[in-house]
């Protein structure tokens, strides 16, 4: 290059090592107009510690690329409306490049084509000082060169002297819980300002869950105590873990009213077949008891069963206060046809059951929990945290029917017709894979795009009881591994 070595632009270009990109641009849109020009690359610009500026061969281009319009640059810059129209109507005339040097290479090839077409000869491929003037014409290629000139100037700043560097104060090292665990440096005195997560013991295997907690109870202890936890008070969607409270609310209502779980008979409404997500595949018109629906709720995580149970329990709660005669008829074995009630007052039934769920949450002191769904499909207002869920499970495992349901691996049953004959056959499998292993007794799985894979487990042997909640795990199978990792750390 015949340029002054002190010139900012020349010194900047000397930092790069560039290869020809003409052959690599052959597959891009707009390169067909350059294919007739001989491929004479610009002189090699040797670099100093920087990688070569070359276009990636991958068809998936980087989102941070420079996009420019090679042809009709003057017209596009002066006419924004036309620029917008061309952008959407003729995408093929755009060229994508990765660096400014690639842009300059494309510009050089375009200028060569114009000079060959006019019969002119090219004496040199070097960029002269006239081409890189301070006040260039407002064309897009010149704008790119101007940016290169400004970039070159920014690279020519003199380095600071040693005295200036010594005057700079070093950055303060912030010791977080993670650094304390990694370096095995724990303070002698823990103050209230420190996070509770600094007390987490080292766990050999990585736990992928973003929020988790483990409560344990030894043989001679009466209550569960938190052993370890991470972000256990952070709110978030919990997917089908919501169904634990749906089941608990149903069982508490039956217990308070002295009703057996197989005493109430319900005719499955057509609304149950329209729900999205995981399903127990209930057929409309069949007759099932509340106990059968609880198995459909907890084993295959049926959203349809959650709807039927919530509407039925809410209807019984309303009848108990308004029509005691009709309420007693259902207790004696009359079949509840919930379909007309849903069509008549769906919102009333929904909010009645949800209010009861939130009342139970308040009584258990689940301070970071709010229920706005009975099944746990994507809902930003339906949130909880691992600490609150552990409190709920501690209450649930005190109910015999609940323990019977969550420890069942496979449940087989028949629906009935109006005349009492057998109808649809159901076979529901528990989604909890840990039931195959000794000591594991539940509780519930869940997954949605927002909540991620979730799992709540209950473990019991002769010496230890453990409640484990892992939310937003990395995969469906990893949620079970996370629970096992936490359990192993508790048994040491």
């Amino acid at each position: 290059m015949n340029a002054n070595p002190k010139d900012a632009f020349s010194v900047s270009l000397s930092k790069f090592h560039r290869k020809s990109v003409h052959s690599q641009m052959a597959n891009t849109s707009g390169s067909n107009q350059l294919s007739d020009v001989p491929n004479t690359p610009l002189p090699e610009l040797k670099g100093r510690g920087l990688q070569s500026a070359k276009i990636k061969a991958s068809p998936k281009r980087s989102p941070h690329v420079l996009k420019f319009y090679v042809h009709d640059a003057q017209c596009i810059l002066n006419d924004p409306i036309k620029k917008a129209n061309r952008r959407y109507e003729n995408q093929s005339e755009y060229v994508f490049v990765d660096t400014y040097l690639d842009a300059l290479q494309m510009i050089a090839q375009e200028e060569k084509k114009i000079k060959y077409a006019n019969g002119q000869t090219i004496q040199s491929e070097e960029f002269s000082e006239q081409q890189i003037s301070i006040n260039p014409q407002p064309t897009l290629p010149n704008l790119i060169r101007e940016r290169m000139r400004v970039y070159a100037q920014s690279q020519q700043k003199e380095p600071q002297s040693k005295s200036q560097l010594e005057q700079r104060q070093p950055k303060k090292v912030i010791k977080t819980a993670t650094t304390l665990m990694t370096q095995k440096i724990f303070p002698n005195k823990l103050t209230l300002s420190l996070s509770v997560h600094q007390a987490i013991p080292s766990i050999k295997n990585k736990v992928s869950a973003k929020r988790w907690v483990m409560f344990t109870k030894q043989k001679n202890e009466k209550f569960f105590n938190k052993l370890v936890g991470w972000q256990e008070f952070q709110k978030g969607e919990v997917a089908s873990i919501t169904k634990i409270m749906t089941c608990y609310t149903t069982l508490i209502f039956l217990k308070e009213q002295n009703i057996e779980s197989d005493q109430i008979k319900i005719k499955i409404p057509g609304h149950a077949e329209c729900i999205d997500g995981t399903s127990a595949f209930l057929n409309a018109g069949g007759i099932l008891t509340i106990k059968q629906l609880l198995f459909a709720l907890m084993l295959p995580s049926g959203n349809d069963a959650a709807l039927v149970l919530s509407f039925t329990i809410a209807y019984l709660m309303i009848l108990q206060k308004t029509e005691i005669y009709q309420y007693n008829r259902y207790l004696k074995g009359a079949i509840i046809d919930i379909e007309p009630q849903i069509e008549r007052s769906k919102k009333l039934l929904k909010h009645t059951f949800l209010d009861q769920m939130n009342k139970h949450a308040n009584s258990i002191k689940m301070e970071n929990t709010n229920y706005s769904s009975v099944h746990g499909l994507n809902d930003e207002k339906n949130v909880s945290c691992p600490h609150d869920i552990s409190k709920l499970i501690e209450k649930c495992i005190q109910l015999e029917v609940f323990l019977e349901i969550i420890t069942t691996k496979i449940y087989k049953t028949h629906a009935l017709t109006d005349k009492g004959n057998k109808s649809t056959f159901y076979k529901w499998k528990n989604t909890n894979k840990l039931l195959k292993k000794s000591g594991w007794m539940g509780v519930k799985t869940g997954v949605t795009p927002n909540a991620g894979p979730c799992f709540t487990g209950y473990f019991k042997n002769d010496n230890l009881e453990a409640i484990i909640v892992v939310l937003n795990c990395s995969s469906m199978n990893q949620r079970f591994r996370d629970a096992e990792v936490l359990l192993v750390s508790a048994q040491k």
Side-chain angles (χ1 to χ4, degrees):
M1 225 181 220
N2 298 327
N4 190 350
K6 295 183 179 181
D7 183 75
F9 182 73
S10 301
V11 175
S12 174
L13 289 181
S14 67
K15 295 182 179 181
F16 293 90
H17 176 70
R18 172 172 51 84
K19 296 181 180 180
S20 174
V21 296
H22 181 79
S23 60
Q24 296 180 354
M25 292 297 295
N27 296 328
T28 62
S29 60
S31 61
N32 54 351
Q33 300 182 14
L34 305 177
S35 59
D36 298 334
V37 184
N39 184 14
T40 307
L42 294 178
E44 296 290 340
L45 302 175
K46 295 184 179 181
R48 188 171 57 186
L50 295 179
Q51 296 179 353
S52 301
K54 55 175 93 172
I55 294 181
K56 298 177 182 179
S58 173
K60 294 184 179 179
R61 308 197 59 79
S62 171
H64 305 291
V65 295
L66 174 67
K67 182 172 68 174
F68 72 102
Y69 191 73
V70 178
H71 311 288
D72 300 333
Q74 181 70 39
C75 180
I76 293 175
L77 289 174
N78 295 336
D79 191 350
I81 298 178
K82 186 175 181 180
K83 177 181 178 181
N85 293 337
R86 296 292 287 273
R87 179 177 297 174
Y88 291 99
E89 294 176 1
N90 195 357
Q91 290 283 354
S92 62
E93 296 186 4
Y94 279 93
V95 179
F96 294 88
V97 293
D98 287 328
T99 64
Y100 281 121
L101 289 179
D102 296 331
L104 292 176
Q105 176 74 5
M106 294 296 299
I107 295 166
Q109 297 290 346
E110 183 66 17
E111 290 177 352
K112 283 163 50 179
K113 178 188 173 183
I114 296 173
K115 291 181 181 180
Y116 276 115
N118 296 333
Q120 301 178 3
T121 59
I122 300 176
Q123 298 178 356
S124 174
E125 296 178 0
E126 298 176 352
F127 294 102
S128 64
E129 292 297 320
Q130 296 178 355
Q131 290 176 306
I132 314 171
S133 59
I134 297 177
N135 297 317
Q137 295 180 355
T139 60
L140 197 53
N142 284 333
L143 290 177
I144 296 174
R145 291 171 184 164
E146 176 64 18
R147 291 184 181 180
M148 284 294 300
R149 187 186 65 79
V150 174
Y151 173 78
Q153 291 180 351
S154 66
Q155 299 297 314
Q156 299 305 310
K157 295 181 180 179
E158 296 182 359
Q160 296 180 349
S161 61
K162 292 184 178 180
S163 60
Q164 292 177 341
L165 293 175
E166 291 176 356
Q167 292 177 0
R168 295 178 58 184
Q169 297 180 356
K171 295 182 179 180
K172 295 182 179 180
V173 180
I174 301 175
K175 294 183 178 181
T176 61
T178 305
T179 58
L180 289 173
M181 292 169 59
T182 304
Q183 301 175 1
K184 297 182 180 180
I185 300 174
F186 291 91
N188 295 329
K189 295 182 180 180
L190 292 175
T191 61
L192 295 176
S193 61
L194 296 179
S195 173
V196 295
H197 305 313
Q198 295 178 359
I200 298 176
S202 59
I203 300 176
K204 293 183 179 180
N205 298 310
K206 183 179 179 181
V207 177
S208 69
K210 294 183 179 180
R211 299 174 290 152
W212 53 269
V213 74
M214 177 170 59
F215 281 73
T216 59
K217 183 174 69 171
Q218 299 297 330
K219 183 177 181 180
N220 298 326
E221 295 178 348
K222 295 183 178 180
F223 303 102
F224 282 90
N225 297 308
K226 189 187 78 171
L227 184 62
V228 288
W230 180 261
Q231 303 292 345
E232 66 268 23
F233 294 101
Q234 182 179 349
K235 293 182 182 180
E237 295 187 39
V238 294
S240 291
I241 306 300
T242 305
K243 295 185 178 75
I244 299 176
M245 178 57 83
T246 305
C247 181
Y248 179 76
T249 303
T250 302
L251 292 176
I252 290 299
F253 174 79
L254 298 178
K255 183 178 180 180
E256 292 175 348
Q257 303 302 320
N258 295 322
I259 303 173
E260 296 295 332
S261 58
D262 55 357
Q263 186 175 345
I264 305 294
K265 299 178 181 179
I266 308 164
K267 192 173 185 178
I268 304 302
H271 290 74
E273 296 182 344
C274 303
I275 187 66
D276 296 330
T278 53
S279 176
F281 302 102
L282 301 178
N283 289 330
I287 298 173
L288 294 173
T289 64
I290 288 182
K291 186 173 183 178
Q292 289 174 312
L293 288 172
L294 288 173
F295 278 99
L297 173 75
M298 299 298 288
L299 270 63
S301 192
N303 294 335
D304 45 2
L307 283 180
V308 177
L309 282 170
S310 62
F311 287 143
T312 303
I313 297 300
Y315 179 55
L316 290 175
M317 293 172 62
I318 295 173
L319 286 181
Q320 186 185 12
K321 299 177 181 178
T322 57
E323 301 180 22
I324 191 66
Y325 172 75
Q326 188 71 10
Y327 173 77
N328 291 330
R329 284 186 65 250
Y330 293 139
L331 296 184
K332 294 178 181 179
I335 299 173
I336 301 177
D337 189 0
I338 199 66
E339 183 83 36
Q341 308 302 327
I342 296 175
E343 295 177 355
R344 186 181 302 112
S345 55
K346 181 178 180 180
K347 290 184 178 180
L348 177 61
L349 296 175
K350 176 182 177 181
H351 290 294
T352 299
F353 193 83
L354 287 175
D355 290 343
Q356 195 66 22
M357 291 174 66
N358 286 309
K359 286 181 181 179
H360 288 306
N362 292 332
S363 64
I364 303 173
K365 296 182 180 180
M366 300 170 65
E367 299 176 355
N368 297 317
T369 299
N370 179 72
Y371 291 108
S372 61
S373 169
V374 297
H375 39 64
L377 284 177
N378 289 337
D379 189 342
E380 295 180 353
K381 297 180 180 180
N382 190 81
V383 295
S384 187
C385 67
H387 191 273
D388 290 353
I389 296 172
S390 299
K391 288 183 177 180
L392 175 60
I393 295 175
E394 186 177 357
K395 292 287 185 180
C396 289
I397 58 179
Q398 298 174 12
L399 304 174
E400 294 182 1
V401 178
F402 184 86
L403 280 176
E404 178 187 354
I405 294 171
I406 63 174
T407 54
T408 302
K409 298 178 183 178
I410 298 176
Y411 183 77
K412 301 177 182 179
T413 188
H414 282 88
L416 300 178
T417 62
D418 294 337
K419 297 181 179 180
N421 299 324
K422 289 185 179 180
S423 179
T424 307
F425 173 75
Y426 294 104
K427 180 181 178 180
W428 296 313
K429 294 182 179 180
N430 201 320
T431 56
N432 182 5
K433 295 182 179 180
L434 291 182
L435 290 179
K436 301 176 182 178
K437 300 186 177 183
S438 176
W440 288 97
M441 303 179 65
V443 176
K444 189 74 185 69
T445 62
V447 60
T448 60
N450 294 342
C454 305
F455 174 69
T456 57
Y458 173 56
F459 177 88
K460 183 179 181 181
N461 60 16
D462 295 336
N463 300 319
L464 176 70
E465 289 185 57
I467 296 174
I468 300 174
V469 179
V470 287
L471 304 180
N472 204 347
C473 302
S474 61
S475 67
M476 299 288 281
N477 290 328
Q478 186 62 39
R479 57 185 174 178
F480 301 117
R481 299 191 192 105
D482 289 348
E484 289 183 294
V485 167
L486 294 174
L487 180 63
V488 170
S489 65
Q491 292 176 335
K492 290 182 179 180

